[in-house]
Amino acid sequence: MNLYFAANPDGSWVLVDAGVPGSAHKIREATAELFGPDSRPSAILLTHGHFDHIGAVKELAEEWDVPVYAHPMEMPYLTGQSSYPPPDPTVGGGAMAYMSFAYPKKPINIKNRLELLPSDGSVPVLEGWRWIHTPGHSPGHVSFFREEDRTLIVGDAFVTRDGESALAVMTEKREVHGPPAYFTSDWGSAHHSVEALCDLEPEIAAAGHGKPMRGQELRQQLERLVQDFWLVAVPKTGRYVHEPAVVDEFGVVSVPPPASNPVPKVLVVAGAVALAGLAWAAWGKRGGNHKGNGYNKKSRQQYTQRPYSHNRALHSVPPTIDPDHDDPNEHTNNYP
């Protein structure tokens, strides 16, 4: 996954997201190379709190003695109050999705460092930038936009490679895709978020996964993603496809029942290892990137008969919080 350094004209800078667990050393090395030894940011900004975006945040925030800014709806997952809705390993059809059952799920607690992003959309430590609420992949997901040159730090609201494929991770073929499906728990909101980002007409998009894209190719692919979102981004079946997770400012309230996964976990891991080997071999033989918008005619035709989902909670499914016995302010892991 990617993280970003954004600098102000006066030389001050911020870190946007904080990588996977164990990445603090590499971030320090990059910091020294970019800004000099012993340099530290004014703050750390989080697009959201999934494990691959906050891996080094606690260690670095303490070491640098800086605040961490996030959206209010991300607070439960950054203060130890609630876990995120569980990932869905049945969606996406790739090794990255199949292995999501093994990804870290517990919240972290950086309460003593957390600050709320201002409600007016400004970024207090970053001149010329504003934040945009882009929920769907997570409840408090945000993206950052600089109007001056139309640069967009998008997080996982959309990505610039296939987020579920281990082969795509290795080859890094650039193309616009929807948010990583296995962690997206509200597809209706995710669609609206992509629409909002497309309306910005970005010149550069720097995503959480995949290499940055720019120019007309970026905008055309982003427009196509908005147009065909329910055909190409949303899985045909899955835990959250027809019913989103229900969340509030305290965390997860209820989630739909898990979808059955026909792939045994042991076979998934073995297959992922084999796929990684094949990907390495393919990387050595590939003869350049294919042009296109990421959705060829054949792939689009197979989805043309799919119904559109209203993505609404089913009234027949009761919440997993029992108001007579459960404290509504403590939702951590209080769901299937």
Side-chain angles (χ1 to χ4, degrees):
M1 73 74 53
N2 302 321
L3 54 85
Y4 296 95
F5 300 87
N8 289 308
D10 64 2
S12 62
W13 59 279
V14 302
L15 177 67
V16 183
D17 288 337
V20 296
S23 60
H25 178 67
K26 288 186 176 181
I27 295 174
R28 291 189 196 98
E29 289 183 338
T31 295
E33 182 178 346
L34 289 169
F35 304 106
D38 301 321
S39 178
R40 64 182 60 198
S42 302
I44 299 173
L45 310 179
L46 295 181
T47 60
H48 62 301
H50 284 157
F51 81 98
D52 53 341
H53 292 253
I54 51 85
V57 68
K58 188 171 186 177
E59 179 179 350
L60 293 177
E62 292 292 337
E63 177 183 330
W64 288 334
D65 189 24
V66 296
V68 178
Y69 285 90
H71 189 275
M73 291 296 288
E74 289 296 289
M75 293 297 157
Y77 318 106
L78 299 171
T79 59
Q81 190 171 356
S82 176
S83 295
Y84 279 107
D88 184 359
T90 70
V91 298
M96 299 301 293
Y98 287 141
M99 292 189 294
S100 64
F101 72 88
Y103 298 158
K105 305 173 183 65
K106 299 294 184 181
I108 64 169
N109 189 349
I110 53 172
K111 184 184 299 185
N112 62 327
R113 293 289 171 184
L114 271 180
E115 299 282 350
L116 295 178
L117 287 165
S119 59
D120 63 1
S122 64
V123 183
V125 291
L126 203 54
E127 183 180 331
W129 291 76
R130 60 186 172 98
W131 65 267
I132 302 155
H133 189 201
T134 47
H137 185 64
S138 78
H141 189 288
V142 297
S143 303
F144 298 97
F145 185 64
R146 183 168 61 191
E147 187 76 37
E148 178 184 0
D149 56 2
R150 314 199 73 75
T151 294
L152 177 65
I153 299 178
V154 68
D156 286 355
F158 67 83
V159 295
T160 53
R161 64 162 167 77
D162 186 345
E164 287 75 50
S165 167
L167 179 60
V169 172
M170 294 218 173
T171 60
E172 289 286 5
K173 179 182 177 182
R174 299 184 210 204
E175 56 188 23
V176 172
H177 286 265
Y182 46 87
F183 265 151
T184 300
S185 56
D186 186 339
W187 285 103
S189 294
H191 185 201
H192 292 312
S193 293
V194 172
E195 286 182 312
L197 296 178
C198 183
D199 288 343
L200 296 174
E201 299 183 348
E203 177 63 25
I204 301 170
H209 304 272
K211 294 181 178 180
M213 293 181 64
R214 68 185 306 150
Q216 191 65 21
E217 180 185 28
L218 164 66
R219 290 187 289 273
Q220 287 178 346
Q221 292 192 24
L222 191 52
E223 289 172 1
R224 180 60 59 84
L225 176 62
V226 170
Q227 175 184 338
D228 293 344
F229 191 84
W230 290 94
L231 301 178
V232 299
V234 183
K236 288 187 289 186
T237 60
R239 186 170 196 168
Y240 305 106
V241 170
H242 298 288
E243 182 184 358
V246 178
V247 301
D248 62 18
E249 66 272 24
F250 301 111
V252 175
V253 176
S254 65
V255 295
S260 60
N261 187 356
V263 184
K265 293 180 180 179
V266 173
L267 294 180
V268 168
V269 175
V273 172
L275 184 58
L278 292 174
W280 183 257
W283 171 257
K285 295 180 179 179
R286 73 190 189 101
N289 292 333
H290 297 287
K291 295 182 179 179
N293 60 11
Y295 311 118
N296 59 39
K297 182 176 180 181
K298 182 178 179 181
S299 66
R300 291 186 65 198
Q301 285 177 341
Q302 74 181 65
Y303 293 114
T304 54
Q305 302 304 316
R306 283 188 52 201
Y308 284 80
S309 169
H310 294 291
N311 199 246
R312 297 291 184 265
L314 300 180
H315 296 295
S316 60
V317 179
T320 56
I321 298 295
D322 182 350
D324 295 328
H325 299 92
D326 295 328
D327 181 352
N329 295 327
E330 295 183 1
H331 297 325
T332 300
N333 296 326
N334 197 8
Y335 49 88

